[in-house]
Amino acid sequence: MSNGAPGPTPGFLVWRLANKWRVAVDRAVAPLGLTHAQYSLVASLYGMQRAGERPSQRQLADHTGLEALYVSKLARALESAGLIERTRDPRDPRAVQLALTEQGQAVTRQAVAVVQELLQRLLEPLGGLDAARTRAFTAELTTLLDVPLDPSS
């Protein structure tokens, strides 16, 4: 609540929605051996690989909005599970490049399908995944995400 205004603040609602969706995705991808954070990593990596990229851990962290240290931890766990491979970047020996293994690609394709179905259900009140209201909602969220955390940025 802020300044005596009735009802929850936008920040509180965004936080609640993010938590609700995280829990929903966690539950949906658990049968595939993934968490929501791991799904975010492999799905992003899948899209980047399809675009011909082999991103570094730093690039993937920037893309997902996750902390680089957390991406490194997730990548090690996904490597142990046989879903990704981590290799030194030949152009920068300090950087680690990531790529999905064949198994990782297969699991990711399944996970993307599961999450797309989940999103369709979660977005049904707005008309579904392809609805005009959903596109407007997405545009509003993008506007908010484009605001830098550091005011001097």
Side-chain angles (χ1 to χ4, degrees), residues 11-47:
F12 178 74
L13 293 173
V14 168
W15 177 74
R16 286 279 317 273
L17 183 61
N19 281 316
K20 178 181 178 177
W21 284 27
R22 182 193 48 79
V23 167
V25 173
D26 267 335
R27 290 177 182 165
V29 298
L32 298 170
L34 297 172
T35 65
H36 180 267
Q38 290 172 329
Y39 168 76
S40 296
L41 200 79
V42 296
S44 295
L45 186 54
Y46 183 72

Side-chain angles (χ1 to χ4, degrees), residues 41 57-62 64-77 86:
L41 200 79
Q57 287 182 170
R58 164 56 66 193
Q59 290 168 316
L60 196 54
D62 292 344
T64 60
L66 296 171
E67 292 291 329
L69 193 57
Y70 190 44
V71 168
S72 177
K73 178 182 172 184
L74 290 170
R76 283 192 302 274
R86 301 166 64 235

Side-chain angles (χ1 to χ4, degrees), residues 128-139:
L129 203 50
D130 297 320
R133 285 182 68 195
T134 299
R135 286 191 298 279
F137 178 61
T138 301

